[in-house]
Amino acid sequence: FGTLSTSLYQKSTATNTMAKPDLSTTLAGIPLTSVIYNASGPRTGSSAAMSKIASSASGAVLAKSATVASQKGNDLPRTWHEENGAASLNSEGLPNSGIDYYISSKTITETMGDNPSSKAYMVSISGKNISDNLQMLSKISDTIANDSGNKIAAVELNLACPNIVGKPTIGYDFEQMEDVMKQVASLPCFRQTPPSFPLGVKLPPYFDRPHFEMAAAIINQHKSFVRYAASINTIGNALAIDHHAEMPAVRANGGDAGLF
């Protein structure tokens, strides 16, 4: 989806030593300072947390997946870390401050610091239903249109969260996924040329070739505004047992969680 600079290793003619690698690229036409940037996850919920990403070598800053209203997420404990750091689980249930927080100029300024144009700031959404997602996409479009100083570079539609109690992962239900994308395509912000903003889709991990083909067929129907795909979220339905307590290490969903 991006084009890595061909000058990745340029030898300095003056000193005959290797210059610093150029890891810049583009994603959906957006310049990124590096091919690596953060996933929308547990450490992206506040401007204070995101400002650390903005000041790092990350190529962009991607905010926490937002819902229409703020929510606390699943009960604690909802994360687990293997002792030697080899793996971790999380079943946070999307605790977040609500979409208004993540698209506000105040939050973006607090996140990006004095030079908000230095890196791309991207928003992620994960509504509880299709109506929520349509509402948030429309709100983002209106915010961009009415605030010339707003620095939202792209939006990621999360179709992959496995940790919402009682809710299926949309990316595994291809009929539902197709319906969601058709309704998204009907929004005025995506019917215009060019679209109001580039849209990406966050997908669950697929393991069978027919699933890749089915997901690709749906996405390719909407290439006019879907500009990139995050190809794997956490691997759902992972389980860790606290052998001392003889119970799951994560409380929500019967202990099932997403594996990092």
Side-chain angles (χ1 to χ4, degrees):
F1 294 95
T3 303
L4 185 64
S5 171
T6 56
S7 59
L8 181 59
Y9 290 102
Q10 292 180 328
K11 186 173 289 187
S12 168
T13 56
T15 61
N16 200 33
T17 59
M18 297 296 283
K20 184 178 179 179
D22 178 8
L23 298 179
S24 62
T25 188
T26 59
L27 178 73
I30 303 165
L32 303 183
T33 57
S34 170
V35 296
I36 299 172
Y37 66 91
N38 70 288
S40 176
R43 298 184 180 180
T44 57
S46 68
S47 58
M50 292 189 290
S51 67
K52 296 177 182 179
I53 300 170
S55 62
S56 75
S58 176
V61 179
L62 177 59
K64 178 74 174 177
S65 286
T67 48
V68 171
S70 62
Q71 61 182 39
K72 294 181 178 180
N74 293 338
D75 292 337
L76 300 174
R78 57 193 185 195
T79 60
W80 171 85
H81 301 275
E82 205 275 333
E83 290 182 358
N84 64 11
S88 66
L89 303 180
N90 100 78
S91 181
E92 288 210 317
L94 295 180
N96 71 93
S97 297
I99 187 62
D100 289 340
Y101 174 82
Y102 297 104
I103 65 176
S104 74
S105 294
K106 181 176 184 293
T107 297
I108 298 173
T109 299
E110 290 174 349
T111 295
M112 306 306 290
D114 296 331
N115 187 13
S117 299
S118 61
K119 291 182 179 180
Y121 175 84
M122 299 185 285
V123 174
S124 176
I125 64 170
S126 185
K128 295 181 179 180
N129 49 53
I130 181 58
S131 177
D132 283 359
N133 282 327
L134 298 178
Q135 178 182 339
M136 287 190 285
L137 289 168
S138 295
K139 178 172 285 192
I140 294 168
S141 178
D142 290 344
T143 298
I144 293 173
N146 297 324
D147 182 358
S148 59
N150 193 284
K151 301 297 182 180
I152 298 172
V155 178
E156 188 171 283
L157 175 60
N158 186 349
L159 303 177
C161 184
N163 300 321
I164 305 301
V165 177
K167 299 291 184 180
T169 300
I170 294 174
Y172 286 138
D173 183 340
F174 294 106
E175 288 185 6
Q176 183 183 13
M177 181 177 169
E178 185 170 22
D179 180 61
V180 166
M181 294 310 301
K182 284 181 178 178
Q183 293 194 56
V184 169
S186 71
L187 292 173
C189 58
F190 297 128
R191 291 205 306 267
Q192 65 187 47
T193 304
S196 295
F197 50 83
L199 183 74
V201 290
K202 184 175 185 178
L203 301 173
Y206 297 118
F207 302 101
D208 293 330
R209 185 176 183 85
H211 292 167
F212 283 99
E213 293 172 347
M214 293 167 74
I218 293 170
I219 294 170
N220 284 333
Q221 294 177 38
H222 306 289
K223 291 189 290 185
S224 62
F225 64 91
V226 177
R227 301 293 306 283
Y228 74 92
S231 59
I232 179 170
N233 193 9
T234 55
I235 300 173
N237 300 320
L239 178 68
I241 299 295
D242 182 335
H243 64 277
H244 296 294
E246 297 184 349
M247 62 186 297
V250 172
R251 182 173 181 179
N253 279 344
D256 290 342
L259 173 66
F260 280 91

